[in-house]
Structure formats: C-alpha cells, structure tokens
Amino acid sequence: MKNKQQNILIIGAGLCGTLLALRLGQRGYKVSVYEKRPDLRTTEMASGRSINLAFSDRGNKAMKLVGLEEQVKGLCVPMHGRLIHDKNGDTVQSNYSGRKEEHINSISRNDLNALLLNEAEKHAHVNFYFNRTCKSVNFEQTTALFHDEGSQKDFIEDADVIIAADGVGSSLRRSYFLDRDFLFSFSQDYLTHGYKELSILPNENGDYLAKKNALHIWPRKDFMLIALPNLDGSFTVTLFLSYDGGLYNFNNLTTEEKVVEFFKTEFPDALLIMPNLAAEFFKNPTSPLGTIKCSPWHYKGNTLLIGDAAHAIVPFYGQGMNAAFEDVVVLDTILDMNLGSWEATFKAYQKKRKIDTDAIADLAMDNFQEMKEHVIDPIFQQKRKLELLLEKTFPAHYHSKYAMVTFTEDLDYHVAMLRGRAQDRAVLTLLSNGTIKLNPKPTKEDLQKFLEQIKHDTNQILENQRHASLKY
Amino acid sequence: MKNKQQNILIIGAGLCGTLLALRLGQRGYKVSVYEKRPDLRTTEMASGRSINLAFSDRGNKAMKLVGLEEQVKGLCVPMHGRLIHDKNGDTVQSNYSGRKEEHINSISRNDLNALLLNEAEKHAHVNFYFNRTCKSVNFEQTTALFHDEGSQKDFIEDADVIIAADGVGSSLRRSYFLDRDFLFSFSQDYLTHGYKELSILPNENGDYLAKKNALHIWPRKDFMLIALPNLDGSFTVTLFLSYDGGLYNFNNLTTEEKVVEFFKTEFPDALLIMPNLAAEFFKNPTSPLGTIKCSPWHYKGNTLLIGDAAHAIVPFYGQGMNAAFEDVVVLDTILDMNLGSWEATFKAYQKKRKIDTDAIADLAMDNFQEMKEHVIDPIFQQKRKLELLLEKTFPAHYHSKYAMVTFTEDLDYHVAMLRGRAQDRAVLTLLSNGTIKLNPKPTKEDLQKFLEQIKHDTNQILENQRHASLKY
C-alpha cells in the first residue's frame, strides 16, 4: 500500500467515482477511471437520472477534504425549507432548521460532476476513459472486462485494486452475486411507487415561476409532487406515484387528457406553470425506486464496492449523494490509519461504515411517509413548530432528527437514527398527551422545561430499547 | 381455471413439488413435473442435501389433506425432546412439550419423497420427467427452457401455468431476478456459519449407539453439533460451525489430526461413536446456510414460486419442509375459494401466506441462538422447566412459543411469532426479577398464579408493541 505506483482501477466516473479518483490522486495513487457514458462535459446527458440533487453538510465535508468547498458554493441554490402546497394552491413554509445558517442546496448533478472531473484530471496520474462499459469483474484475478463503445471491442484491464463506483446497476456487485462459491448477502427492495421527472421552465426573462429558495412539496398522502430550483430559473419537478394503486397511477395515466385531469385535481397551481406537462409526461421515463444493501463490499484486498454500488437508497432524505461522498471521507480516514494492506483497509472501512449506510437507507424510507403524508398532519406540524422554536432558542442544545441527519456531519448516521427516532417519539407523545402545549405561545421558561422533558423522555426511550434488545 | 384439462407444469419433483403435483392431481388438473435429478426411487441420492428432516404437525396437516397420514407414520422416528450433551459427555433431556402427545419426528427425505412420488403417479394425468434441468422460464410466454441430461439437448415446454418448486436455486426466481423490466424485491442473507453432515452408524446388531427418540445437541455457544435418528439405527449428524471465526473453523480444519482434536475437545462422547469422522469430514461438502425472501412470488397468472424457491430458511426450527408443505395446504384453501383466475388465486395466496413465511424465517434465525447458546443458560433452563410444568398442568391453557410454532398447526406462523416472542420476554423477566420462583417446587395454586401473571404481562407487552408501531 505504501507503493503509490500501484494501479487503482475505478469503475464509474459519476459523482462518487470521480470524487474518489480525485482524492486518491491527491494521495498520490495512480488511478484509471473507466466510465460507460460519454464525457458529460462534452455531451448532452442522457435522461433517466435525476438532474438535480440535494447537497448538504455531509457532502460538503467531502468537498472540504478535496479543497472544493468554495467552488461548489457557486453551483448551489440554497433551500431553507419545505414549501407545502395544498389542493387550493395555498402554501405554507416549514423550515429545515431553527438555526439560520442551516439549509440544504439544490445542485446540478452535471455541473458538480464536471467540476470534480476537471479537478481530478489536473493530476497527471489520474486518467479517465469514457465510453467503456464494464461487463464483469474477475475478483480473484483483479481484472475487469470492458466493452469499448467506440470500437465495439471487448478488452480486459488488469489492476492492483479495483473499486466499483458504478452505481445501482454495479457490474462488480453483479459479479459478486453471480459467483456461486462466494457467500454474498444481498437485498433489493422496490417500492410500489415509481418516479418521473418533469419541469417548470423560467419565464421569458429567465425568472423563477415559483419561490426560488425552497423545496416545493405537494403532499397527497398516497403520492406527491416535489420541485427543486435550478440555477437557470427552472425547477426540476418529480412526481412520485404508485405504479398501479389508487385512482390515478402510472399504469392508467395513458392519455394527455387524463394526465392533465390528474394535475388539475391534485396540483392545480403546479399545472398553471407546467405548459409542457403532457408532452414531458410521455417523453420522460418512469423509473423505479428501491433500496439495495449487500455484504461483503470487498473481496479480499482485490475489489471494493463504494457509493450506490454498495448501498442504493430511496431519495426521500436527500442523502444519496451525500452518503456516497461521505463514503470517500470515511475511506480516507481509514487510509490515514495505514493498516498495511488493502484487505485490512477494506475490512476496517466496511466495519465502520456499513452500520451507517444501513441506517440512512432506513431513514430515507421513513421520510417517504413523512413527506407525502405527515407534513399535512396537524400534530406533525406542531412538532415541527416546536422543534424550530427549540432550535432557535437553544441552538446549541436541540437538534431535530432532520438536523442530526442533514446538518450534523460529524454525527454518524446510525447514531442520528437511534437518537432521532427516540426523540421524535418523545416529542409526539408529549404533544399528543398535552404535556407540551404551543398555545398560548410558550415563554422561554416554558421552552426550557419542554427541552428538559424531551431530553429526559428521549433518554428513557433509549434506555428501554437497550433493555429490550438484550438477549431473549 | 374451471377447465381441469389445463396443463400445469411444475418445476422440481422434490418434497414440495411432488406434494403439489399429488394435490393438484387429486383436484383433477393435468400436471407435468420436470426434475433435474434422476428418479430417487431408482438411483442413489447425491450427497449435499440433508438426509433426514424434522417432520411435525404442520407437515402432517398436509399429509392429512392428501390422505397419507398413516403411511407417513411408518417413516417417522419420534423425538420427544432435546438431549443436551455437555463437554464431559453428561446429558440432560429437555422435552419439546409438557403435553405427552406432542413430539417431532425424524424422517428420511428420500423415503418421504418416494412415498409422495408413488402416490402422485397413481393419477394418470400426473406425469414425472426426470433428468430435465430447467435453465430459465419465460414468464411472459409461460414457457420453460429445459436441458435433457440424457440426450444433452435443450427443449422448450409450453404450459398454461408454471409453478416452480425447484428450491433454493430456483430457475424461475433467477429468471424473475435477471429480468430488468420487472420490479422483483429479493434478499439472500448468509450466515457466517456453514454446515457439514456426518454420521453415527448402528452397531453390528443394528442397534442405536445413542438414545433413539431424541434430538441430540452438543451446544457450544459459537458452534454446535446435532444428531437425528434414522429408522436403520444410524444417526445423521450435522456440525454447524463458522467458516473463519474462532479457534476451530471450517477454513482451518484442514487435517485429520485437527478434526479429531476438535471433536476430542468439544464433543468427546460423540467422537467415541464416530470412527469414520475424519474420512467423512473430508469427503462430505461444507454447505452454506442462508435465508431467502422475495416478492412477488407470481407473475400475473402465469407463474408462481412455492416452497424453498419462494422462501428458503435456516434449518434451526426444523420447519423448512413443514413450511413448504403448509404452502400447499394454504394454496389448496385458496383454490377452494374459486377466485376465477390464476392471477387472483396467486395474488390471494401470496397475500395470505407471505407474512407467515417471513415470520418462520425470522423464528428460525432466533432458534440458532437458542440451540447453540441459550439451552445451556441457567435462566433459559428454568424457563423451559416452568413451561413444561405449565403445559402439563394446564394443557389447554399454556403453549410455549415452540409449541405454538411446532404443534399448533392452525395458528399462523406470524401470530405464533408475535405472541411467542412476547410470552418469552414476559417469562424471562418474571424469572429474572424473582416474581416466579421454581424453588421450592410450586404448588398447583402457585402455577395458576404464574400462568395468570404470564398471560397478563404478555398481553401488556403486545399492547405496548401495538402502540409503538403506530405511525411515528
């Protein structure tokens, strides 16, 4: 491992693979990255992947690590909260935090990827090869079989280490799975909902047709629409809808009339600013939503899965890219330990990291319910109001689950999940049974008492859970 | 569906596929069964699959359904309890139930399968084709691609319905998985332990060298040995051991000396009656242990997964075959409903059944801990003593979790799991905190009070769980 002339082959020049190539390049390794798509800096991106993403503090920690924090800021559209649209088109804002500086960002996948590619290519020993599709990986021999989309020829690359950052359809993961002599635990869980990307374009002056600095949500319990702002004045809109349940679904929305009728009934204010709705609806693909978990991520010291290739999650916490970036940060801290071999490094990495990627996968599923359903529940709205008050009044002493997951980048996901879930239960119980009342407006002394009660009850819940999870 | 001339193709003539063929034959369907292995009635069975199995009340319910209850009895060796062997070779028996009539049975996979084959073949419209390996299923066209192991030629079979009972490596499940346009949720979870079958042969008079009517266990916390009696005086012995953890494991037991040393240290009394140990150890394969879950089991009304093909479980509850047989019973009750189409039938079947096969999968994992570890724990031993007393004293009013799962064939697995786990927690807590004492020997009045307290606490735990699983 000390020999930095080792050849590291990375499969996939998406966000995670490129960041990893950049970081390994900075650490002095010789890195070759093979990507099946054309170079996105010189080609129109294919549709079917989400155009913009939520970027927050865990992702930003990775940008700090590679020295790109300032440059990334220029690509971000801050979103301070959810703007919830009801069926009449009335809106109410629910901020993400009571601390002013805490917000998430909408960022273009393409722009961010291009920035990382440009930065990685500055290292002479980091090289990118586009239009090379990985067909399989021989993880005993540490070789990968590629198909050159240009010459249409197959070729084999040999490397000292192969790291697959090739996303949800990972070729290395498939090779792990198909090999019968290798005990590979694996799960893929699909939702009965799929998603489709649509858009709200800017007006002729390039201005935003809806509030810019917010994540728009039209929650309708069984389905929802969301919209995230882009730098150019447009919004990327995503419809999350059942394939076959309910009155309207992807399987029965087969005519323009029916799509427009659906939007007129459910999202009338959105329809007004989506003149291209019907055309886009039938042009753009409907894509599935699923969670992938697997183990082990590595085979000996030869190969490693990272990012979505190792743990794909549903998008409802806005943490997919942030988690993949955090993978690189965690792997970097393990490399700092100089464990002496890639096998020891990969083992230590998975041991540290898997509990956290499992946790964010589960949290993301929780948030699907929250976004499409709970945000319109009166008791949930009281909870958010209380939490924002507490965060504003005691910024150093109260963090909602959302804040722990999204803005507390040094807190491991699994700790955020455990504490956050217990705290949610405590807060909701205290509001339901009337121990905490928000009417009349609580004084600072009231809030101080609420805070203490919540901390006490949260700890009690955690304590009970510890007992319950003991043997038997 | 009313047209009984429809062609039903079953993949796999193992226990589940053959039982299903028999039952569908009895219902009047035309059934063709394709099996990759030779006919086990005329060929020596290949090694690698467990030779004997635990047969209990849920399996027996299926035998009643097809009218084979009496014939199966002749194949059974009753096992009344666990006979636990310590490192000195001392044993203690722990019965499965306080009700005399409740026991499990050791049964030969081969004998039972042969009985089912003979019975199914009595129906002229049920036909078996051996040495035909299914390579894939086209579930849109309802056709299956087979390889004839005799002629070495591939051929395609067309059917009205294809039901795959082809076990853990199911070809239909693989076809579901590999098809990219089909949202197939799937998980395979391997244990870090594997297993190896060994044997204890009878003496020259054909007598058993260990107690006949018991399931022998040598529990050693991190690993265990078990032995089940066969009709011929032999025992089938199974070693469950980590692949690579601990002092001795499958990866480092590479010499005869080391294997013997391991058994001498850990299972000295077993070693005395296993003269062939070393030879068998290196001849017999080491096989993995895993849980498979998936959904959906069916594609439209064309294809269905059943038995291990749909839900493979670890063997520690002795319920694998019983669950597969119960699948056939449940499918039969759904057929009785005359839902009008195979699609409606398969949908109703999965809706009713999946929650129960998920439950037995989880229960089987629980029992791994129980068998290798808890059975030697003093508080667990007290619990079993108390439960046997309660079952004996109040046979109609107390059922341990084990009894609910194993002997209460009309109680769904998921109900047995919920109630059984809550009751286990209640009993262990009452024993731990001294509310229930077994010393001095409790009177009938004491036991009556214990019973009421356990019922009360169990209901309380279930009530709390219901609250906790409410939204948020």
Side-chain angles (χ1 to χ4, degrees):
Chain A
M1 279 188 76
K2 300 240 165 99
N3 173 10
K4 293 303 173 63
Q5 288 315 301
Q6 281 185 105
N7 291 304
I8 298 181
L9 193 162
I10 295 176
I11 307 170
L15 292 168
C16 182
T18 309
L19 173 65
L20 178 65
L22 167 57
R23 185 58 195 154
L24 292 179
Q26 289 175 337
R27 292 188 76 106
Y29 290 102
K30 182 168 186 307
V31 181
S32 304
V33 189
Y34 290 81
E35 163 62 42
K36 69 176 174 186
R37 296 186 177 81
D39 188 341
L40 54 79
R41 294 166 298 182
T42 53
T43 341
E44 276 283 297
M45 199 176 75
S47 62
R49 313 178 75 199
S50 51
I51 295 162
N52 55 11
L53 299 161
F55 176 76
S56 52
D57 296 33
R58 290 175 198 268
N60 197 45
K61 190 174 175 182
M63 295 304 100
K64 283 182 197 164
L65 176 69
V66 295
L68 287 177
E69 190 186 11
E70 285 311 310
Q71 283 171 265
V72 169
K73 265 192 195 132
L75 306 178
C76 288
V77 183
M79 299 184 288
H80 298 286
R82 297 168 175 160
L83 193 74
I84 299 159
H85 297 244
D86 71 17
K87 280 198 186 190
N88 300 320
D90 293 332
T91 59
V92 56
Q93 171 124 357
S94 171
N95 278 355
Y96 285 121
S97 173
R99 284 171 289 272
K100 264 215 169 125
E101 69 284 9
E102 291 182 346
H103 63 265
I104 64 174
N105 304 279
S106 175
I107 194 165
S108 150
R109 176 195 289 274
N110 242 21
D111 292 351
L112 180 56
N113 211 335
L115 170 64
L116 292 168
L117 283 167
N118 290 337
E119 203 65 21
E121 277 189 343
K122 289 181 184 165
H123 297 270
H125 50 292
V126 176
N127 289 289
F128 289 86
Y129 304 92
F130 296 95
N131 300 304
R132 266 81 159 185
T133 303
C134 184
K135 295 172 79 172
S136 64
V137 177
N138 183 328
F139 44 85
E140 289 284 3
Q141 304 293 326
T142 324
T143 59
L145 173 65
F146 290 94
H147 180 71
D148 186 323
E149 303 293 340
S151 68
Q152 292 291 321
K153 287 197 177 127
D154 287 356
F155 64 98
I156 288 175
E157 281 295 314
D158 203 334
D160 296 310
V161 177
I162 297 178
I163 304 182
D166 50 350
V168 63
S170 172
S171 55
L172 174 59
R173 207 183 61 236
R174 193 173 54 240
S175 293
Y176 281 173
F177 183 83
L178 293 176
D179 187 87
R180 292 310 202 93
D181 298 326
F182 173 41
L183 296 190
F184 184 57
S185 293
F186 169 77
S187 71
Q188 61 185 29
D189 270 298
Y190 288 103
L191 298 190
T192 52
H193 284 59
Y195 75 94
K196 189 186 281 286
E197 286 203 347
L198 304 161
S199 67
I200 295 170
L201 298 179
N203 70 11
E204 54 270 36
N205 304 324
D207 296 331
Y208 292 89
L209 284 178
K211 185 172 178 179
K212 176 184 177 186
N213 292 113
L215 189 151
H216 297 256
I217 311 187
W218 290 258
R220 296 296 180 265
K221 252 184 135 162
D222 293 327
F223 48 88
M224 69 170 169
L225 191 74
I226 68 169
L228 277 75
N230 297 312
L231 280 176
D232 67 359
S234 69
F235 289 84
T236 303
V237 180
T238 310
L239 173 64
F240 297 96
L241 180 68
S242 173
Y243 280 100
D244 60 5
L247 185 58
Y248 297 100
N249 57 55
F250 278 123
N251 287 351
N252 73 18
L253 287 176
T254 51
T255 64
E256 299 209 349
E257 293 68 37
K258 206 150 177 211
V259 171
V260 171
E261 174 194 303
F262 173 46
F263 271 66
K264 198 171 261 167
T265 312
E266 298 292 344
F267 320 116
D269 56 334
L271 180 62
L272 287 177
I273 49 178
M274 297 176 73
N276 300 322
L277 169 65
E280 282 186 331
F281 193 93
F282 293 104
K283 198 190 75 187
N284 293 352
T286 305
S287 303
L289 295 159
T291 302
I292 288 176
K293 296 178 180 175
C294 66
S295 179
W297 288 344
H298 66 101
Y299 182 78
K300 297 178 181 167
N302 299 356
T303 55
L304 176 73
L305 296 166
I306 198 165
D308 280 10
H311 49 77
I313 65 179
V314 294
F316 306 109
Y317 228 112
Q319 285 292 316
M321 169 187 52
N322 291 289
F325 279 7
E326 198 175 58
D327 281 1
V328 177
V329 175
V330 173
L331 182 59
D332 191 68
T333 62
I334 306 285
L335 285 169
D336 282 343
M337 294 177 188
N338 289 310
L339 297 178
S341 74
W342 284 107
E343 181 162 14
T345 301
F346 292 166
K347 221 175 221 173
Y349 166 69
Q350 176 168 350
K351 188 162 195 240
K352 164 77 183 139
R353 185 63 177 154
K354 182 157 168 55
I355 189 173
D356 290 315
T357 58
D358 284 352
I360 191 58
D362 296 347
L363 283 164
M365 282 299 304
D366 291 357
N367 234 36
F368 187 31
Q369 302 307 321
E370 179 165 324
M371 288 178 77
K372 70 186 171 59
E373 189 170 350
H374 298 170
V375 291
I376 36 179
D377 180 311
I379 195 119
F380 179 87
Q381 289 174 347
Q382 276 191 59
K383 169 173 168 290
R384 283 307 294 161
K385 197 171 158 189
L386 170 65
E387 293 196 290
L388 293 173
L389 269 173
L390 290 172
E391 289 182 332
K392 198 174 163 184
T393 317
F394 310 104
H397 298 101
Y398 190 81
H399 293 82
S400 70
K401 182 175 80 175
Y402 189 88
M404 288 190 242
V405 172
T406 309
F407 306 122
T408 317
E409 70 271 23
D410 293 326
L411 191 72
D412 291 344
Y413 278 133
H414 81 276
V415 180
M417 179 174 75
L418 272 183
R419 280 208 73 81
R421 283 181 172 175
Q423 182 173 277
D424 275 1
R425 177 155 312 154
V427 171
L428 287 161
T429 304
L430 291 167
L431 283 165
S432 302
N433 68 20
T435 310
I436 293 184
K437 288 197 182 77
L438 295 182
N439 230 331
K441 194 170 185 292
T443 62
K444 190 165 176 185
E445 287 68 43
D446 293 335
L447 287 173
Q448 178 72 46
K449 268 188 227 150
F450 295 167
L451 179 66
E452 279 159 23
Q453 187 70 48
I454 293 168
K455 297 247 171 206
H456 171 270
D457 289 11
T458 302
N459 286 332
Q460 194 61 52
I461 290 169
L462 288 168
E463 187 64 21
N464 289 345
Q465 280 176 357
R466 254 191 299 279
H467 283 295
S469 70
L470 291 180
K471 283 269 164 57
Y472 313 119
Chain B
M1 280 187 72
K2 300 240 164 94
N3 173 8
K4 294 302 173 64
Q5 288 314 302
Q6 280 184 107
N7 293 303
I8 298 182
L9 192 162
I10 295 176
I11 307 170
L15 293 167
C16 182
T18 309
L19 172 66
L20 179 66
L22 168 57
R23 185 58 195 156
L24 292 177
Q26 290 175 336
R27 293 187 76 107
Y29 291 102
K30 184 170 184 307
V31 182
S32 305
V33 188
Y34 291 81
E35 165 60 44
K36 69 176 174 185
R37 295 186 177 80
D39 188 341
L40 55 81
R41 294 165 300 181
T42 55
T43 341
E44 275 284 297
M45 201 176 76
S47 64
R49 315 177 74 200
S50 51
I51 295 162
N52 56 10
L53 299 161
F55 176 76
S56 54
D57 296 34
R58 290 175 197 268
N60 197 45
K61 190 174 175 183
M63 294 305 99
K64 284 182 195 164
L65 177 70
V66 295
L68 288 177
E69 191 185 9
E70 286 310 310
Q71 284 173 262
V72 169
K73 264 190 195 137
L75 306 178
C76 288
V77 182
M79 299 183 288
H80 299 287
R82 298 168 175 159
L83 193 74
I84 299 160
H85 298 244
D86 71 15
K87 281 198 185 190
N88 300 320
D90 293 331
T91 60
V92 56
Q93 171 124 358
S94 170
N95 278 355
Y96 285 122
S97 172
R99 284 170 291 272
K100 264 213 169 128
E101 71 283 9
E102 292 181 347
H103 62 266
I104 63 173
N105 303 280
S106 175
I107 194 166
S108 149
R109 177 196 291 272
N110 242 20
D111 293 351
L112 180 57
N113 210 337
L115 170 65
L116 292 168
L117 284 166
N118 290 337
E119 203 64 22
E121 276 189 343
K122 290 182 183 165
H123 298 270
H125 50 292
V126 176
N127 289 289
F128 289 86
Y129 305 92
F130 295 96
N131 300 304
R132 266 80 161 185
T133 303
C134 184
K135 295 173 76 171
S136 63
V137 177
N138 183 327
F139 45 84
E140 289 283 3
Q141 305 292 327
T142 324
T143 58
L145 173 64
F146 289 95
H147 181 72
D148 186 323
E149 303 294 340
S151 68
Q152 291 290 322
K153 286 198 176 126
D154 287 356
F155 64 99
I156 287 174
E157 281 294 313
D158 203 334
D160 296 310
V161 177
I162 297 177
I163 305 182
D166 50 349
V168 63
S170 174
S171 55
L172 175 59
R173 205 183 64 235
R174 192 173 55 239
S175 293
Y176 282 173
F177 184 84
L178 293 176
D179 187 86
R180 292 310 202 92
D181 297 327
F182 174 40
L183 297 190
F184 184 58
S185 292
F186 169 78
S187 71
Q188 62 184 29
D189 270 298
Y190 288 104
L191 298 190
T192 50
H193 284 58
Y195 75 95
K196 188 186 284 286
E197 286 202 346
L198 304 162
S199 67
I200 295 171
L201 298 179
N203 69 13
E204 51 271 35
N205 305 322
D207 296 330
Y208 292 89
L209 285 179
K211 185 172 178 180
K212 176 184 178 187
N213 292 115
L215 189 151
H216 297 257
I217 310 187
W218 291 257
R220 297 296 180 265
K221 251 184 134 167
D222 292 327
F223 49 88
M224 69 169 168
L225 191 73
I226 68 169
L228 276 76
N230 297 312
L231 280 176
D232 67 359
S234 69
F235 290 84
T236 303
V237 179
T238 311
L239 172 65
F240 297 96
L241 180 67
S242 173
Y243 281 101
D244 60 6
L247 185 57
Y248 296 100
N249 57 55
F250 278 124
N251 288 350
N252 72 20
L253 287 175
T254 50
T255 64
E256 300 209 351
E257 293 67 37
K258 204 149 180 210
V259 171
V260 171
E261 172 192 304
F262 173 46
F263 271 65
K264 197 171 261 169
T265 313
E266 298 292 344
F267 321 116
D269 55 335
L271 180 62
L272 287 178
I273 49 177
M274 296 178 73
N276 301 320
L277 169 65
E280 282 187 331
F281 193 93
F282 294 104
K283 196 190 78 187
N284 293 351
T286 305
S287 304
L289 295 159
T291 301
I292 288 177
K293 296 179 180 174
C294 66
S295 179
W297 289 344
H298 66 100
Y299 182 76
K300 298 180 181 166
N302 301 356
T303 54
L304 175 72
L305 296 166
I306 198 165
D308 280 10
H311 49 78
I313 66 179
V314 294
F316 306 108
Y317 228 112
Q319 286 293 315
M321 169 186 53
N322 292 288
F325 278 7
E326 197 175 61
D327 281 1
V328 177
V329 175
V330 173
L331 182 59
D332 191 68
T333 62
I334 305 286
L335 286 168
D336 282 343
M337 293 176 186
N338 289 309
L339 296 178
S341 73
W342 285 108
E343 181 161 14
T345 301
F346 292 167
K347 221 175 220 172
Y349 166 68
Q350 177 169 348
K351 188 164 195 240
K352 165 76 183 138
R353 186 62 178 155
K354 183 158 167 57
I355 187 173
D356 290 315
T357 58
D358 284 351
I360 191 59
D362 296 346
L363 283 164
M365 282 299 303
D366 291 357
N367 235 35
F368 187 31
Q369 301 308 321
E370 179 165 323
M371 289 178 77
K372 70 185 170 60
E373 187 169 352
H374 299 171
V375 291
I376 35 178
D377 181 310
I379 194 119
F380 179 86
Q381 289 175 346
Q382 275 191 60
K383 169 173 169 288
R384 282 307 294 161
K385 197 170 159 189
L386 170 66
E387 293 195 290
L388 293 173
L389 269 174
L390 290 172
E391 289 183 330
K392 198 173 164 186
T393 318
F394 311 104
H397 297 102
Y398 190 81
H399 294 81
S400 70
K401 183 176 80 174
Y402 189 88
M404 289 190 243
V405 171
T406 307
F407 306 122
T408 317
E409 69 271 23
D410 293 326
L411 192 72
D412 292 344
Y413 279 132
H414 81 276
V415 181
M417 179 174 76
L418 271 183
R419 279 208 73 81
R421 283 181 172 175
Q423 182 172 275
D424 275 0
R425 179 157 311 156
V427 171
L428 286 161
T429 305
L430 290 167
L431 283 166
S432 302
N433 66 22
T435 310
I436 292 183
K437 287 196 183 77
L438 297 181
N439 231 332
K441 195 171 185 291
T443 64
K444 191 167 176 184
E445 287 67 46
D446 292 336
L447 286 172
Q448 178 73 44
K449 267 187 227 150
F450 295 167
L451 179 66
E452 278 158 25
Q453 187 71 47
I454 292 168
K455 295 247 171 206
H456 170 272
D457 289 10
T458 302
N459 286 331
Q460 194 61 51
I461 290 169
L462 288 168
E463 187 65 19
N464 289 346
Q465 280 176 356
R466 255 192 299 280
H467 283 295
S469 70
L470 290 179
K471 287 271 162 56
Y472 312 119

